[in-house]
Amino acid sequence: MTHQINHQTKSKPLSERRWLMLARPLIIVVALIATWQVLVIVTGAPKYMLPTPADVWTTLIARHDVLFDHAQYTIAETVIGLFAGAALGTLAAIPMALFSPVRFWLMPILLVSQAIPFFALAPLLVLWLGFGLASKIAMAALIIFFPVTVAFFDGLSRTETGWLDLGRTMGASRWRLLTHIRLPAALPAFASGFRVATAVAPIGAVIGEWVGSSHGLGYLMLHANARVQIDMVFACLLILCAFSITQYFIVDRVLRAALPWQPDSLKPAQ
Amino acid sequence: MRSTEQAPPTAQNPTKFDIALRGGRVAFNATDIFHDLDLTLQAGSFTCLLGPSGVGKSTLLRYFAGLVEGDVSGTITCSDNIPLAGRVAYMAQQDLLLPWRTVHENVVLGAVLRGEKPKHDKASHLLSEVGLADAAHLRPAELSGGMKQRAALARTLMEDRPVVLMDEPFSALDPLNRLRLQELAARVLRGKTVLLVTHDPLEALRLGDRVHVLSGSPARLQDAITPKGQSPRNIAVPDILAQQAELLGQLGAEPSEGAA
């Protein structure tokens, strides 16, 4: 018999698509900067309220040593917080999916934890864990914990029942059903939660820095704002944006590469 | 079909025990799906279960597989006095291939799930027997529907259990692929005790040594119809067509509709 193996349809030549893929972010960035410049000209805003892109660029170059120094702290807090939060979320989701008593006790606690405004929690964390990295990592981890736990738990509790039936007739233990069927089947859901977490992780770190710190982009922004160095505030924001986007794309790439079997209906449009 | 797919003269490792279900009862939400149900699966025979949708065919099959939970009673005994549990292989309408495992890895899944060392040579042999030798390294998403169901059949055979329970395994296939897979199944399952659920009377007559209709609520089993000859049978002969009319009658068709 003939093997009907699906191939991606190639509507455009590869070189043309690749060109567009590389050019698209550049076009977006240029358009955003142009809009920003037009806004400055149209509103006539003074530099201490809305600096021009050129002002911010000058600050980025001139103060790059300070910015780089503080950015390192924020990036470290975010990345460590991301992995700590994801690890905690994983550790919470698996027993919740496996044992119903754990689920019944932990779910309300999780929901209550979400009712607490995290911004209000930041001063407490600083009080308990100090001005250093620990309180910011805790803040980022706390924000990440919920989306990862909920997404992973959801994935674990929606295993195709046919797979579990098959596994049972094959004589699988509960543990092997988990490690060989339920966990891999829940990985796409975990990946969705982790992507969301990646996007919100820097927020946690920056909130922590605002409330009490001696380092980091949040700290730098707060002080620059107080001294009406708005170009510095914008420079910090730009670095945060660039870092968030880079981190998101790296995570997205890694997750896609790790789960090549995951159905992806958007792929041919890239 | 491939020229290599010829029926072996004798069955390998035939099943030697009968399975008797007595007083089977399953209820969902306090409504009996069936009760007082007796069914004997004779050693090495192919039994087909026909019936309208929702009558409880799959439930009866899953009962044999030990997969029905809740309000269940009745006894299943094997004539060799060894419990049936652990001696069945299960194949469903969906291929149930794990999308993250290759075809070969899916075929050896049972051993992996039991913590045994997979027999890779045997898996390769079975895959070539079902015509998938070239697709062993592919993931299920890269296969056609017929190929997926072949892979599922290879996985079922890999278990090498004396009893095979199949729940409409061919119903999602196009007619040509269905015919090919029926022939393949008849050949490779010869000598095993098989219970096949289907809604297609001709499939039942093509493959089954005994064909039962399950109908009504609570569902009752009709006496078996036993088509002559060895499966896979030619279904274009008058005897089979007459039995098809009989089955359609048992399923509730008007005589004018069911007449062949």
Side-chain angles (χ1 to χ4, degrees):
Chain A
M1 65 177 284
T2 54
H3 293 155
Q4 295 146 9
I5 294 159
N6 301 330
H7 287 288
Q8 274 185 27
T9 46
K10 286 168 187 163
S11 48
K12 287 179 192 168
L14 192 67
S15 58
E16 192 181 329
R17 283 195 301 152
R18 177 155 292 176
W19 181 86
L20 198 64
M21 229 171 81
L22 293 173
R24 195 183 286 126
L26 205 70
I27 294 170
I28 292 171
V29 167
V30 169
L32 283 175
I33 291 174
T35 313
W36 176 2
Q37 182 70 52
V38 168
L39 215 63
V40 174
I41 294 168
V42 169
T43 59
K47 192 183 164 185
Y48 58 83
M49 290 192 66
L50 183 62
T52 63
D55 292 335
V56 176
W57 180 251
T58 313
T59 310
L60 265 176
I61 302 296
R63 307 292 306 277
H64 68 92
D65 48 344
V66 180
L67 285 163
F68 180 72
D69 186 40
H70 286 275
Q72 282 178 312
Y73 285 89
T74 307
I75 290 171
E77 289 155 8
T78 307
V79 173
I80 299 172
L82 183 62
F83 284 99
L88 285 175
T90 306
L91 285 179
I94 292 174
M96 271 170 67
L98 276 187
F99 309 108
S100 49
V102 179
R103 176 160 63 249
F104 296 144
W105 286 102
L106 219 54
M107 205 42 150
I109 295 175
L110 262 180
L111 291 173
V112 168
S113 79
Q114 280 309 289
I116 301 170
F118 280 104
F119 201 79
L121 215 60
L124 285 175
L125 288 175
V126 172
L127 178 70
W128 294 334
L129 299 171
F131 266 55
L133 284 186
S135 55
K136 283 84 201 171
I137 292 170
M139 194 67 206
L142 270 178
I143 284 193
I144 290 149
F145 176 70
F146 191 72
V148 171
T149 310
V150 168
F152 199 26
F153 170 71
D154 202 47
L156 283 170
S157 48
R158 284 174 200 275
T159 317
E160 158 83 55
T161 48
W163 290 342
L164 297 175
D165 284 348
L166 181 73
R168 284 189 196 112
T169 60
M170 285 172 162
S173 62
R174 202 178 157 92
W175 172 250
R176 286 215 173 79
L177 279 182
L178 175 73
T179 54
H180 286 88
I181 296 180
R182 296 183 71 177
L183 274 180
L187 284 180
F190 172 82
S192 304
F194 197 76
R195 281 195 189 92
V196 173
T198 307
V200 298
I203 301 174
V206 170
I207 289 177
E209 287 169 358
W210 276 349
V211 170
S213 64
S214 46
H215 294 285
L217 289 175
Y219 165 84
L220 201 59
M221 279 165 83
L222 208 64
H223 284 261
N225 201 36
R227 294 181 202 138
V228 207
Q229 295 170 345
I230 305 306
D231 46 349
M232 192 65 167
V233 175
F234 269 76
C236 292
L237 276 175
L238 279 184
I239 293 175
L240 269 177
C241 278
F243 165 63
S244 295
I245 292 168
T246 311
Q247 182 183 240
Y248 183 86
F249 275 104
I250 291 172
V251 165
D252 188 58
R253 269 295 159 93
V254 170
L255 289 175
R256 273 173 205 278
L259 306 171
W261 47 272
Q262 200 185 351
D264 188 351
S265 50
L266 295 178
K267 226 173 203 172
Q270 269 188 352
Chain B
M1 273 331 272
R2 293 155 58 100
S3 58
T4 51
E5 289 183 9
Q6 286 156 0
T10 51
Q12 297 167 352
N13 198 10
T15 305
K16 294 199 181 73
F17 58 91
D18 295 342
I19 305 161
L21 165 66
R22 293 291 173 261
R25 175 178 165 273
V26 173
F28 291 138
N29 302 322
T31 307
D32 284 7
I33 305 298
F34 50 78
H35 56 215
D36 287 334
L37 194 130
D38 296 345
L39 175 62
T40 302
L41 305 179
Q42 291 174 352
S45 78
F46 203 122
T47 306
C48 291
L49 209 52
L50 269 173
S53 298
V55 75
K57 304 186 295 286
S58 295
T59 305
L60 183 53
L61 181 108
R62 290 166 57 81
Y63 184 105
F64 274 101
L67 292 171
V68 182
E69 286 165 359
D71 200 354
V72 180
S73 57
T75 57
I76 294 175
T77 46
C78 300
S79 59
D80 60 358
N81 291 321
I82 300 170
L84 180 62
R87 294 202 283 176
V88 300
Y90 173 68
M91 185 173 171
Q93 181 179 353
Q94 315 92 324
D95 52 75
L96 298 180
L97 297 171
L98 300 176
W100 56 88
R101 297 178 81 92
T102 65
V103 170
H104 183 98
E105 286 167 347
N106 266 291
V107 171
V108 298
L109 178 69
V112 172
L113 286 179
R114 288 186 294 273
E116 297 164 0
K117 199 175 182 308
K119 294 171 184 158
H120 293 294
D121 290 348
K122 187 181 170 192
S124 302
H125 170 73
L126 284 172
L127 277 172
S128 57
E129 196 164 17
V130 300
L132 286 179
D134 299 336
H137 62 287
L138 298 177
R139 288 210 175 83
E142 295 172 283
L143 307 182
S144 67
M147 290 165 81
K148 284 182 196 169
Q149 219 47 358
R150 279 163 190 273
L153 183 61
R155 182 189 57 203
T156 310
L157 296 172
M158 186 72 190
E159 289 299 282
D160 201 16
R161 301 284 177 89
V163 183
V164 178
L165 305 172
M166 299 203 281
D167 193 353
E168 301 194 24
F170 315 125
S171 62
L173 301 175
D174 62 84
L176 195 61
N177 261 314
R178 191 183 312 149
L179 200 69
R180 286 172 172 169
L181 262 162
Q182 285 168 351
E183 278 173 10
L184 181 62
R187 185 170 61 79
V188 295
L189 292 171
R190 191 160 294 144
K192 305 263 185 222
T193 304
V194 181
L195 180 61
L196 173 89
V197 162
T198 176
H199 57 243
D200 177 1
L202 281 178
E203 179 171 281
L205 292 168
R206 204 177 150 74
L207 297 174
D209 302 316
R210 303 169 64 81
V211 181
H212 285 281
V213 168
L214 188 69
S215 59
S217 178
R220 306 207 144 270
L221 267 184
Q222 314 267 6
D223 289 337
I225 283 176
T226 50
K228 288 193 202 99
Q230 198 188 45
S231 68
R233 291 177 197 87
N234 178 4
I235 49 174
V237 298
D239 278 1
I240 296 286
L241 292 176
Q243 284 175 322
Q244 185 199 8
E246 196 181 335
L247 286 173
L248 286 169
Q250 287 187 6
L251 286 166
E254 295 295 320
S256 58
E257 291 176 49

